[in-house]
Amino acid sequence: MAPIRIMLVEDHQIVREGLRRMLELEPDLKVVAEAASGDQALPLVTSLSPDIVLMDIKMPGTGGLELTRKLKELNPDCKVIVLTFYDNYLQEAIQAGAVGYLLKDLHREELVQAIRTVQEGRSPIHLSVPQEHLADIAGATTQQYSERELTTLRLVASGLPTGDIAAQLFVSQATVKRTLRQVFDKLGARNRSEAVAEASKRHLI
């Protein structure tokens, strides 16, 4: 199996070097690029298409939140995990397109597991993030999905077959199947039951 390809976006060289050494102890992880600023990161994402970007928030010039938005526009398949000292940017990070939010005081094992979790299609949030910020995540996360995708998810969760969903939405069955494929991709699900379970976990339905 190919390793998970990671790009580090962090303006402190010592932190970047430490992250690289830490991650490359794992045989299934490979750091393919490093960037100290947004200007450096954008062309690297375009040319290398990493699986995951570990993103700092506070950097000179373009900050991590704005850079996350730009990276997602360039490569929607790229998964951004915010890695920061600050616990109060969770909602903004999710709205910008990040799929994970971790604080820099976590252990190596936690970071490695979070990266694998994101690659599997789930969204890790550091346990140290205050509960009041976690309460905002449901509303922020739903903005990553279209209204049709969310409605289709709810109808799937209610147990309706494709034909009945199409009739309720006044669309073709092909459109329902296409929407479901998009939802499966976003949730990292292989079938309806996995999609419903993951959507419920993310408070989408």
Side-chain angles (χ1 to χ4, degrees):
M1 182 180 296
I4 302 171
R5 303 171 69 255
I6 302 164
M7 184 169 84
L8 308 177
V9 183
E10 162 67 59
D11 60 319
H12 290 96
Q13 182 179 354
I14 291 176
V15 176
R16 286 200 315 276
E17 290 178 352
L19 284 170
R20 175 188 280 273
R21 287 196 297 270
M22 182 189 307
L23 295 175
E24 292 193 333
L25 292 172
E26 305 295 326
D28 60 331
L29 306 182
K30 181 179 182 181
V31 177
V32 296
E34 299 177 24
S37 69
D39 290 340
Q40 291 181 8
L42 287 171
L44 288 171
V45 168
T46 303
S47 61
L48 296 174
S49 297
D51 299 312
I52 290 174
V53 175
L54 285 182
M55 176 76 71
D56 191 15
I57 283 184
K58 299 287 188 179
M59 294 183 292
T62 303
L65 297 176
E66 178 60 27
L67 182 56
T68 296
R69 281 188 281 269
K70 291 181 177 179
L71 292 185
K72 295 299 289 185
E73 290 173 4
L74 279 173
N75 184 358
D77 294 329
C78 181
K79 303 175 181 71
V80 176
I81 302 175
V82 167
L83 184 62
T84 179
F85 285 118
Y86 305 94
D87 64 17
N88 58 332
Y89 290 96
L90 171 61
Q91 183 172 2
E92 294 170 80
I94 298 300
Q95 288 174 334
V99 296
Y101 193 94
L102 305 174
L103 302 184
K104 288 182 177 177
D105 62 353
L106 82 173
H107 298 295
R108 180 178 72 86
E109 294 81 6
E110 294 175 303
L111 176 59
V112 169
Q113 185 56 47
I115 290 170
R116 292 171 179 152
T117 295
V118 165
Q119 189 68 2
E120 292 169 359
R122 291 175 285 156
S123 299
I125 305 297
H126 198 287
L127 293 177
S128 297
V129 175
Q131 289 299 310
E132 59 266 27
H133 300 317
L134 288 175
D136 294 330
I137 192 171
T141 303
T142 58
Q143 297 182 22
Q144 298 180 23
Y145 299 82
S146 69
E147 189 57 39
R148 172 173 288 175
E149 288 172 338
L150 291 173
T151 301
T152 302
L153 257 178
R154 295 183 188 110
L155 293 173
V156 167
S158 71
L160 289 181
T162 300
D164 290 351
I165 294 173
Q168 287 212 24
L169 298 179
F170 300 101
V171 298
S172 68
Q173 292 192 40
T175 297
V176 172
K177 291 175 182 177
R178 184 166 61 250
T179 301
L180 283 176
R181 283 196 298 272
Q182 293 167 348
V183 170
F184 288 177
D185 288 343
K186 289 181 179 182
L187 293 172
R190 293 170 295 183
N191 52 49
R192 290 185 175 213
S193 59
E194 286 187 8
V196 169
E198 187 62 30
S200 178
K201 196 182 304 178
R202 299 189 192 188
H203 307 290
L204 293 173
I205 56 177

